[in-house]
Amino acid sequence: MSVAGAAPWWKTAVFYQIYPRSFALGDPAGRRARLATTGAAFDAARDGVGDLEGIRQKLDHLAWLGIDAIWISPFQPSPMADFGYDVADFCDVDPLFGTLADFDRLLGDAHARGLRVIMDWVPNHTSDRHPWFVDSRSSRTAEHRDWYIWRDGTGEATPPNNWARAFVEGPAWTFDEATRQWYLHLFLAEQPDLNWSNPAVVEAMSGVLRFWLDRGVDGFRIDVVLGLGKDPALPDVPAELASLPYCDQNDDPSTHAILRQLRKVVDGYDQQPVAVGEVFLPTTEQILAYYGDNDELHLAFNFPPMECGFDASCMRSQTEEATRLFAQRVAWPTWVLSNHDRPRHRTRYGGSERRARAAAVLLLGWRGTAFLYAGEELGLEDAEIPRHAQVDPGGRDGCRAPIPWQPAPGYGWGLEGGPAWLPWPPRADLVNAETLSEDPSSILHLYRRLLAARRASAALQLGDLELAAAPDSVVAFRREWAGDVRVVVVGFGGDECAVDLDPPPEGTWIVEVASGGRDGLASEGERYLGRIGPEEALILKPGP
Ligand code: TEU
C-alpha cells in the first residue's frame, strides 16, 4: 500500500509493460490443443511465443519485484500483421495466447496479489480481417461501409491525399478493386482506420471498453489515441512533411470530444479505471492537451525523454519542461524510457549496464507515474536479429526478444526444443531472472530496492520536484511531500565528481539507494560523502 493515502492509485503506481508474445510461456500443451483444431503444424513464428498462462505464472516475480500494475499489450484475435495491433475481434483472446477464462484467471490472481491490470486498446484501426471491415469492403452500401474511411481519390492511380503510412514506405491509402475506392490506413494496409466521426463506431467501441471493464480490468493503454479525430476534408500535409508517417502528425481538435465521451465510460466503474494514452506528438506541451480539463485522458506517455541519449543536459531540460508545464495544469506526468516500439534504453545508451542502473534511479525518482518495460529490470539489451529472423515491418524486433527466466538453453520457456519466435537477448545464460535474483548486487535487486524506496516515500510518490544546483554532468533534484524529503542525484559523467548539497535539518544525507553496486562509490545506509562515482545515481534521505 502506498504511503500517499488518498491519491488515485494510478498516480503513485509503477506500471510494468508486458508484451505477451515475449514474456513467458506457461501452457504449451494447452496451446497445441487449441491450435490443433486449426490443423496447423508447430510454427516458431506463430507458436514460439508467450501466453497468458505464462504471465500468470510470473505474477510472484512481479509482486516480489514491487511493481503495482501491469499493462498487457494486445492478446486479442489477430492475424499478427502487426503482432496483435491489428485486432480481428476486440472481445476475445487469440487461441495463441489462451482463452477468456485464462484471462479472467490471470486478472483474479493479479488482483489477489494487489497488482492491477490494464490492457492495450487499439481504437484507431482494426485488422482488415475484422468482420466489420470484411463487411465494409464488400460493397459501397454495406452496413459497415461508413465505419471506415473510404474516398474516391483520382482513379486508382492517385490516392485521395498525400498522407504516408508508418513502417513501410507508401501512401496511407490502398485502392480496393471490388468497390473502386481507396481506404485509409495510417499503418499497414492490414490495419484500416476506423471512422470515429460515425456514432455507430463510438458506440461499438464504447461497448468494447465496457466488455473488459465489466470483467474487472483496471483500465486501458490507448493506442494511437491522437488518430481518432480527423479533419473530414482529409487535407494534404505540407509537402515537406509528406514523407513522414501521418500517424505522428494528426492532432485534430475533434479527438478531444471523443476522449471526453470515452472518459465518461471509463469513469463509470468503481475500480477507478485509468486511461493512459499513446500520444506520439513531438512536444510535452502538445501531449498535455490530451488530458483536457482533467476530463479526457488520466495519463499520457511523455515520450520526448526517450529522444535523449545518456545525457545530463537533455534529461535536465526534459525535467525542467515537465515540471514547468505540469505545474500549470491539473495533470500528472508520466515517465518511460523503453517500450515495445523503441530500442531498449540500455542499447540506446551504448550498452552500458552502469548507465542503465543510473537511469533506473532517474526514472523512479522523477515526479510522475513511471512505466517499466518487461526485461529492463534485468538490464536487457536489444537482441541481434539476423535478416532471416526479422519479422516486424517496423524493424522493432530487437526490443521484443523473449525474456530469459533461467540460465539453461530454452531459458525457462518450456518450448520443448522448438525455437522462440525471435532470437534471445545477449548473454541470456548470465542475464536472466533466476541468475540475477541470486546476486544481491544485480540490477534486478537494484530495481527492487528502488521500488521499495519509492513505495515507502510520499515524497517520491507524490512530492514536488525542485532542481538542485549541480555540476553540468549531474542532474539533481529534491522531492518533498508533507514533510517527507528525498534528493535524487544522477551522474551522467564518466568521472567521479563532487555534488555539494545543503544539509537537511536532521543533519546529514544518508544514501538510501545507490546504483553503483559493487563498483559504486557510495554505500547504501552510509552517510553521503558529497561525491558520486562515474555514471552513478543515488537516492538520499535525511538522517542524523
Ligand atoms: O505505435 C504508434 C506508432 O508506431 C507511432 O505513433 C510512432 O511513430 C512510433 O511509435 C515511433 O517509434 C502504436 C503501437 O505502440 C505500435 O506497436 C503499433 O505498431 C502501432 O501503434 C499501430 O497500432
Side-chain angles (χ1 to χ4, degrees):
M1 180 61 188
S2 82
V3 296
W9 67 271
W10 41 265
K11 282 186 81 170
T12 58
V14 175
F15 286 78
Y16 182 94
Q17 180 194 359
I18 289 174
Y19 190 71
R21 296 179 63 88
S22 303
F23 189 66
L25 177 59
D27 182 13
R31 167 185 294 154
R32 266 200 313 281
R34 287 190 302 272
L35 295 179
T37 59
T38 67
F42 178 85
D43 167 1
R46 187 197 63 185
D47 304 340
V49 298
D51 59 8
L52 295 181
E53 176 57 14
I55 299 173
R56 194 189 67 79
Q57 292 176 9
K58 299 302 179 189
L59 290 175
D60 286 337
H61 165 77
L62 299 175
W64 171 87
L65 180 60
I67 56 104
D68 304 289
I70 58 178
W71 149 31
I72 309 177
S73 285
F75 50 80
Q76 289 84 356
S78 166
M80 301 293 170
D82 188 13
F83 302 106
Y85 284 91
D86 48 318
V87 178
D89 179 347
F90 287 100
C91 296
D92 201 351
V93 176
D94 193 294
L96 199 56
F97 297 122
T99 63
L100 276 171
D102 292 327
F103 176 78
D104 292 340
R105 188 177 177 211
L106 164 58
L107 184 64
D109 286 7
H111 285 165
R113 290 165 175 79
L115 300 173
R116 287 183 166 91
V117 178
I118 72 172
M119 55 190 284
D120 236 302
W121 181 51
V122 187
N124 179 68
H125 47 268
T126 71
S127 164
D128 61 344
R129 294 196 220 159
H130 193 293
W132 297 343
F133 188 71
V134 172
D135 176 69
S136 181
R137 77 183 317 170
S138 67
S139 146
R140 290 198 182 200
T141 58
E143 177 196 352
H144 294 91
R145 186 70 176 183
D146 194 34
W147 286 43
Y148 295 84
I149 299 172
W150 295 92
R151 293 291 188 280
D152 287 331
T154 311
E156 58 186 283
T158 310
N161 66 21
N162 68 351
W163 296 358
R165 73 182 77 170
F167 305 145
V168 290
E169 206 169 314
W173 297 90
T174 291
F175 188 74
D176 184 66
E177 289 293 344
T179 59
R180 312 285 304 161
Q181 280 194 311
W182 299 80
Y183 69 86
L184 177 67
H185 51 82
L186 299 189
F187 295 90
L188 303 172
E190 293 88 343
Q191 295 171 289
D193 278 45
L194 281 165
N195 171 16
W196 275 84
S197 69
N198 183 339
V201 169
V202 179
E203 185 48 40
M205 290 298 265
S206 298
V208 170
L209 293 178
R210 292 189 188 98
F211 175 87
W212 294 102
L213 290 166
D214 287 343
R215 297 186 99 84
V217 293
D218 299 291
F220 302 92
R221 176 269 188 183
I222 306 178
D223 189 67
V224 195
V225 72
L226 71 166
L228 299 188
K230 296 180 178 79
D231 179 338
L234 305 176
D236 277 354
V237 296
E240 63 271 19
L241 298 177
S243 62
L244 302 175
Y246 182 72
C247 62
D248 300 342
Q249 303 179 52
N250 192 61
D251 189 6
D252 192 82
S254 61
T255 298
H256 299 291
I258 295 168
L259 285 181
R260 287 193 288 274
Q261 285 179 281
L262 299 175
R263 177 67 177 264
K264 288 193 179 101
V265 174
V266 171
D267 282 354
Y269 283 79
D270 296 338
Q271 65 264 43
Q272 277 195 325
V274 66
V276 51
E278 183 203 34
V279 183
F280 204 84
L281 289 170
T283 70
T284 302
E285 192 155 20
Q286 288 170 292
I287 294 167
L288 198 54
Y290 284 75
Y291 288 76
D293 291 327
N294 203 26
D295 59 352
E296 295 181 36
L297 296 171
H298 296 91
L299 298 171
F301 290 109
N302 185 30
F303 288 120
M306 291 176 99
E307 303 307 324
C308 293
F310 190 72
D311 175 84
S313 169
C314 190
M315 291 299 191
R316 183 182 302 108
S317 62
Q318 292 296 342
T319 306
E320 285 167 339
E321 172 100 342
T323 302
R324 177 175 59 82
L325 290 171
F326 280 89
Q328 299 163 11
R329 300 284 302 271
V330 178
W332 188 246
T334 70
W335 300 96
V336 60
L337 294 177
S338 284
N339 64 26
H340 65 293
D341 285 334
R342 310 299 299 275
R344 287 181 175 274
H345 62 275
R346 177 172 174 176
T347 298
R348 299 201 310 267
Y349 299 163
S352 152
E353 181 180 300
R354 186 160 63 181
R355 291 181 171 186
R357 293 169 73 109
V361 175
L362 179 62
L363 177 61
L364 292 166
W366 260 323
R367 176 182 184 265
T369 295
F371 286 79
L372 308 183
Y373 176 48
E376 76 174 78
E377 79 275 19
L378 306 179
L380 290 188
E381 298 173 80
D382 277 9
E384 294 290 326
I385 312 288
R387 184 172 297 281
H388 67 80
Q390 293 171 11
V391 290
D392 176 48
R396 301 163 291 181
D397 295 318
C399 68
R400 299 174 172 183
I403 305 289
W405 293 98
Q406 294 170 6
Y411 307 110
W413 270 60
L415 278 164
E416 296 165 342
W421 76 297
L422 286 171
W424 296 96
R427 301 184 306 286
D429 57 329
L430 300 171
V431 182
N432 62 76
E434 182 178 294
T435 303
L436 297 184
S437 68
E438 292 161 357
D439 173 3
S441 71
S442 69
I443 189 170
L444 175 60
H445 280 279
L446 170 63
Y447 266 86
R448 185 167 189 247
R449 294 197 305 279
L450 281 168
L451 288 160
R454 183 185 169 107
R455 184 185 296 271
S457 166
L460 293 177
Q461 288 194 323
L462 288 173
D464 295 333
L465 184 151
E466 184 183 351
L467 280 162
D472 289 348
S473 66
V474 175
V475 174
F477 49 81
R478 178 190 176 93
R479 305 287 314 278
E480 181 160 7
W481 182 265
D484 185 46
V485 178
R486 293 293 185 278
V487 169
V488 178
V489 180
V490 184
F492 292 83
D495 302 312
E496 179 182 327
C497 74
V499 184
D500 298 327
L501 299 170
D502 295 337
E506 293 82 348
T508 186
W509 295 109
I510 303 297
V511 177
E512 183 174 29
V513 183
S515 70
R518 292 196 191 94
D519 305 333
L521 191 69
S523 302
E524 293 179 0
E526 303 293 324
R527 286 185 57 198
Y528 171 59
L529 302 175
R531 303 183 68 76
I532 58 170
E535 297 171 339
E536 184 173 47
L538 309 178
I539 290 185
L540 305 175
K541 67 179 182 181

